[in-house]
Amino acid sequence: MATILLVGVDLFFRAKLEGLLAGHRLVTSDSADPPELVICDISRVDPDEVADSWLDTPIIGYTNHTDTHGLRRAHTAGFDRVIVKSALVEQAPGLVAALLGDEVG
């Protein structure tokens, strides 16, 4: 079970992620334990600030498919994965497992 920090994620989408990533602990603020992964809504946060805050932590950034500027900013900031929201819903368990070094299965 990994601790995953959610940054800028709205309550509705958090509930969806909790269902998709049931084996992990999702937090929305800094906890005593550092996160092993960060998932953030690029449309609601500054990608550079997120990347600067979590230098040694894998980051998944998502936004809607029309936010090409946000997608580019997250790539430039150095996010490990940048994906459209619908694809994150489809691929969340596999993406998280890959970034955490877990086997999918």
Side-chain angles (χ1 to χ4, degrees):
M1 175 174 84
T3 298
I4 300 173
L5 176 64
L6 303 179
V7 179
V9 176
D10 66 57
L11 290 175
F12 176 76
F13 198 63
R14 178 192 171 126
K16 185 170 286 230
L17 288 173
E18 286 174 342
L20 293 167
L21 303 171
H24 300 286
R25 179 174 166 242
L26 305 182
V27 296
T28 55
S29 61
D30 295 333
S31 64
D33 299 320
E36 292 146 276
L37 180 74
V38 175
I39 298 176
C40 73
D41 183 341
I42 299 164
S43 69
R44 299 175 63 145
V45 298
D46 180 344
D48 291 316
E49 286 183 19
V50 173
D52 289 346
S53 295
W54 304 105
L55 295 172
D56 297 324
T57 305
I59 302 171
I60 298 173
Y62 71 87
T63 190
N64 65 58
H65 70 281
T66 61
D67 185 9
T68 56
H69 176 72
L71 294 167
R72 281 193 305 271
R73 286 187 62 212
H75 275 292
T76 301
F79 283 24
D80 297 274
R81 294 287 195 285
V82 180
I83 192 164
V84 296
K85 189 175 186 177
S86 59
L88 178 58
V89 170
E90 294 172 3
Q91 302 172 22
L95 284 173
V96 168
L99 288 171
L100 294 174
D102 297 338
E103 289 186 19
V104 179

